[in-house]
Amino acid sequence: MSETDRLAAQAAQLERTKNKSEKQGELQQGKSPHRGRRSLTLGGVKSLKLSAPVPSTLHPASVYLASLSQGSRATMCRSLNAIASLLTDGECDALTLDWSNLSYQHTAAVRAILVERFAPATAKKMVAALRRVLKEAARLGLMSYEDYARATDLPRIDTPPQKLRGRALANDEIATLLDECNEAKTIAIRDAAILAILRGGGIRRQELAQLKLQDYDSSTGELEICSGKRKSYRTVYLPAAAVKLVEAWLEIRGRKRGALICPVRKGGQVELRHMSGDAVLKIVKKLSVRAGVEEFSPHDFRRTFCSDLLDGGIDVFTVQKLAGHSSPLTTSKYDRRGDRTKRQAVERLFFPQPSGYG
């Protein structure tokens, strides 16, 4: 029996024991047997629900989530909520669960069920969130490092190669999108600047939403990304054509300090405040529908950015720095040049012809 099967069997046994106990209790109380959601709450162990609210500075889940970027925070919070609900049959979420009371029997069973329910990459991400919260619990002195080590001593979740997500946009698609913004309206000029920065800088939509006017240098096209993923810093440079579109937007926005890209009200009035990353997503989706371009996401501009630079002969380490990736392996996953590039690469191989062939 594999390790995963063993853990799954353990989780099933724990569930059967709990369900049997619940059924007996319900019959004694005159209730009908209840088939609830699959739960990992275990009899005879400490309660997993906090007895009283805990300050965010002392709550391991809060401390962990606060260390993440805004975009990652929401994703990992959902993962922790799902794990907390699984452990308590829906009674707790990430902030009401007492993570310090988790032991190996909890984490092993959680891992087994996550592997069963989710794709490997998703299960791996959720287990990573679980590990990090328990690490914060140990750092905060809520559980011993020995208990932390035991609870997180879990087998690795292998993630076999999957079909690449997203796509790269063709040049004519980008041109079509920009043509859709070719109007003398404030909102259209703003949208053109958004496309220019996403395409020319390859930045994340949340990074775009957080840009300030002072982060932009019109003389060089330089953009300072001060709030990147994991609160990192980097510099990117917009090509001249993109700078022209950003400058057209600033002619309307003005040069007052504040958000670089701002909301525009129906009457064309510019509000000097930051947009949300979700607002950028909605704008891009709206433009794709109006332009008749196959559906894509703002992140596909990053994939296009990386693919086009690699296709142009730029080395992967330079592309990695421009994209703000922590590893060149991450950058390579953004390569969407497709089969054409692979065929061209193979054609460059030296392959001698046997004598007697053409």
Side-chain angles (χ1 to χ4, degrees):
M1 179 182 289
S2 69
E3 183 67 12
T4 298
D5 291 338
R6 185 181 68 79
L7 292 174
Q10 179 188 24
Q13 179 60 40
L14 292 172
E15 183 184 7
R16 285 193 295 270
T17 302
K18 174 183 176 292
N19 288 342
K20 182 178 180 181
S21 175
E22 286 181 344
K23 184 176 180 181
Q24 290 174 345
E26 288 167 350
L27 291 173
Q28 290 172 357
Q29 297 174 26
K31 296 180 181 179
S32 61
H34 171 66
R35 292 185 178 181
R37 291 184 297 174
R38 190 172 186 183
S39 170
L40 297 180
T41 46
L42 307 175
V45 298
K46 295 179 181 178
S47 171
L48 295 182
K49 185 176 182 179
L50 286 171
S51 58
V54 176
S56 59
T57 54
L58 297 177
H59 195 296
S62 294
V63 172
Y64 163 58
L65 292 172
S67 70
L68 304 176
S69 66
Q70 188 172 346
S72 299
R73 193 176 303 149
T75 300
M76 289 309 196
C77 185
R78 285 193 295 270
S79 296
L80 295 177
N81 283 336
I83 292 172
S85 178
L86 180 66
L87 284 163
T88 61
D89 199 17
E91 184 179 1
C92 293
D93 61 15
L95 299 182
T96 57
L97 185 79
D98 189 349
W99 297 92
S100 64
N101 275 344
L102 297 192
S103 62
Y104 175 76
Q105 64 185 131
H106 295 106
T107 57
V110 165
R111 178 198 175 278
I113 292 178
L114 293 180
V115 169
E116 176 187 321
R117 289 186 179 180
F118 298 101
T122 302
K124 187 174 184 178
K125 175 191 67 179
M126 297 176 76
V127 170
L130 174 61
R131 291 178 189 273
R132 284 293 308 276
V133 172
L134 295 185
K135 186 173 185 179
E136 295 300 341
R139 285 173 168 173
L140 291 168
L142 303 176
M143 67 189 305
S144 70
Y145 274 96
E146 181 180 357
D147 288 342
Y148 157 71
R150 287 176 178 170
T152 57
D153 186 19
L154 302 171
R156 187 181 69 178
I157 299 176
D158 291 325
T159 51
Q162 302 289 324
K163 181 179 180 181
L164 295 176
R165 296 173 58 187
R167 68 184 186 91
L169 279 76
N171 289 336
D172 60 342
E173 289 181 311
I174 297 172
T176 302
L177 290 167
L178 287 170
D179 285 343
E180 193 62 37
C181 303
N182 190 22
E183 300 180 58
K185 294 181 180 179
T186 300
I187 196 167
I189 295 170
R190 190 277 314 274
D191 291 350
I194 289 176
L195 295 178
I197 295 172
L198 290 174
R199 163 56 174 156
I203 69 175
R204 303 174 178 92
R205 60 184 166 104
Q206 193 62 44
E207 292 171 343
L208 182 146
Q210 294 174 347
L211 284 174
K212 302 182 181 69
L213 179 66
Q214 54 266 37
D215 296 332
Y216 168 69
D217 187 336
S218 59
S219 63
T220 61
E222 178 182 309
L223 279 175
E224 290 186 296
I225 311 301
C226 302
S227 301
K229 198 169 184 179
R230 293 178 296 275
K231 300 180 181 179
S232 60
Y233 170 90
R234 74 182 188 280
T235 302
V236 299
Y237 299 89
L238 298 179
V243 170
K244 185 177 179 180
L245 294 175
V246 175
E247 287 296 311
W249 158 243
L250 291 179
E251 287 292 321
I252 297 173
R253 177 208 174 278
R255 302 280 173 170
K256 291 184 180 179
R257 294 174 69 89
L260 178 63
I261 301 297
C262 313
V264 176
R265 302 180 71 172
K266 285 187 178 180
Q269 181 181 354
V270 176
E271 297 183 1
L272 286 180
R273 61 180 177 84
H274 289 282
M275 302 172 64
S276 67
D278 285 343
V280 176
L281 173 63
K282 290 177 182 177
I283 290 169
V284 169
K285 285 187 173 295
K286 177 191 68 177
L287 288 173
S288 69
V289 171
R290 282 170 39 190
V293 172
E294 180 186 344
E295 185 178 359
F296 68 96
S297 72
H299 214 76
D300 286 333
F301 276 114
R302 277 174 65 75
R303 297 181 175 101
T304 307
F305 177 82
C306 294
S307 293
D308 287 354
L309 289 177
L310 292 169
D311 203 22
I314 307 301
D315 66 275
V316 68
F317 295 103
T318 299
V319 179
Q320 173 198 345
K321 292 178 181 179
L322 289 170
H325 292 146
S326 58
S327 166
L329 293 176
T330 304
T331 306
S332 65
K333 295 177 182 177
Y334 279 64
D335 188 355
R336 295 298 188 278
R337 288 175 289 177
D339 291 334
R340 175 182 58 84
T341 302
K342 288 185 279 188
R343 283 196 299 268
Q344 290 175 348
V346 171
E347 289 299 328
R348 297 178 183 177
L349 294 173
F350 171 71
F351 197 94
Q353 288 288 333
S355 57
Y357 281 79

